Amino acid sequence: MSESESPEMRRPLPEVAATQKPMSLASWVQLIALGVIWGASFFFARVAVMEIPPLTLVLFRVGIAAIALHLYLAARGISFVPVLKRSGSFFILAALNNVIPFSLIFIGQTELGAGLAAILNATTPFWTVIVANRLTVDERLTAHKLAGVLIGVAGTAVLVGPGVVADIGGPIWAKLAIIGAAVSYAFAVIYAKRFKDLGTTEVATGQLTASTIIMLPVVVMIDGVISFQSVGAEIWLHVLALALISTALAYLLYFTLIANAGATNASLVTFIVPVSAVLLGWLFLAERLQAYEIAGMLLIGVGLIVIDGRLAQSRRK
């Protein structure tokens, strides 16, 4: 490892202690930062998708991010060979964390509104708690974790507001598609723990490279060869922001968070994302902040406090 390489990015994905402690302040900062970055992705994608088909946009998103991380590895003198030796595992991670959930969310949102989709996607921590309890020995299900997750999901429903009622009558298959994406994310965050011997940068690069390879033939078959001559500079800036900030940087934070705080805690980002999207809209798009949105944010905050467990421990003491 070169002297200039960040130890945070080179840190392996270690096993979490059998008795998990509450998240550190640094991990909370990473979680909130990741939520803000992924919340901003809605703004970048909203503009870019007006001129670029969704699946093609996904390909650009993962492809440009993969190239950027390969350049980062090369600049730091970090070998990609260990990733290539386990390419099969990285294709599985890419499918679970990118290809399957992206596709299911896209399919589901053809029939469901964004509000209901956000609520169903926010069930990711619930499924992660269940999957972690079955497949790991270091992240067992506890009463405060389950209670906090349920409070967080309820908070997301309140945050989305009354408009979600109109979407409830959507087809069952569309709802199951979004839930399927949440379950896929849950398995992905658990599966990522097997790469504990690799640095977080290598894991992020391997996943995004495999995602690009998978998406390339899919896009060619479905979208075909597209001319981008009419795509303006502003659109490409949003594509670059989506790829470099909301994907490359985001996944570095994501895998670092798994290393530092565990799979269940990393999945809590799905509660932060809708909060950050609402706040960013209020700050930069002059969107009005509604009372129910504030109530939903407070409820999500309560859920995160319950999951953290520190308050309950102090009360018991």
Side-chain angles (χ1 to χ4, degrees), residues 59-137:
L59 175 61
F60 282 150
R61 177 179 183 175
V62 296
I64 295 172
I67 292 171
L69 289 178
H70 275 287
L71 292 175
Y72 178 82
L73 290 178
R76 298 302 185 215
I78 304 170
S79 174
F80 192 64
V81 173
V83 176
L84 293 176
K85 291 180 178 178
R86 297 159 66 178
S87 57
S89 295
F90 276 99
F91 275 104
I92 294 174
L93 179 63
L96 290 173
N97 214 21
N98 290 150
V99 178
I100 292 174
F102 286 177
S103 302
L104 289 176
I105 290 172
F106 170 68
I107 292 169
Q109 286 188 315
T110 60
E111 295 288 343
L112 300 179
L116 182 56
I119 294 172
L120 295 176
N121 188 54
T123 63
T124 297
F126 172 79
W127 301 112
T128 303
V129 166
I130 300 300
V131 174
N133 187 63
R134 297 293 298 177
L135 300 183
T136 70
V137 296

Side-chain angles (χ1 to χ4, degrees), residues 201-225:
T201 309
E202 292 98 304
V203 178
T205 308
Q207 175 195 279
L208 291 169
T209 301
S211 296
T212 303
I213 294 171
I214 294 172
M215 286 301 300
L216 188 57
V218 173
V219 169
V220 171
M221 287 188 294
I222 295 177
D223 289 345
V225 179

Side-chain angles (χ1 to χ4, degrees), residues 15 37 51 61 218 290 307:
E15 291 291 343
I37 289 172
E51 296 189 27
R61 177 179 183 175
V218 173
Q290 303 291 337
I307 292 169

Side-chain angles (χ1 to χ4, degrees), residues 19-38:
T19 303
Q20 279 197 310
K21 297 179 181 179
M23 278 203 296
S24 66
L25 177 60
S27 292
W28 278 111
V29 171
Q30 290 170 356
L31 181 71
I32 293 171
L34 181 58
V36 171
I37 289 172
W38 271 339

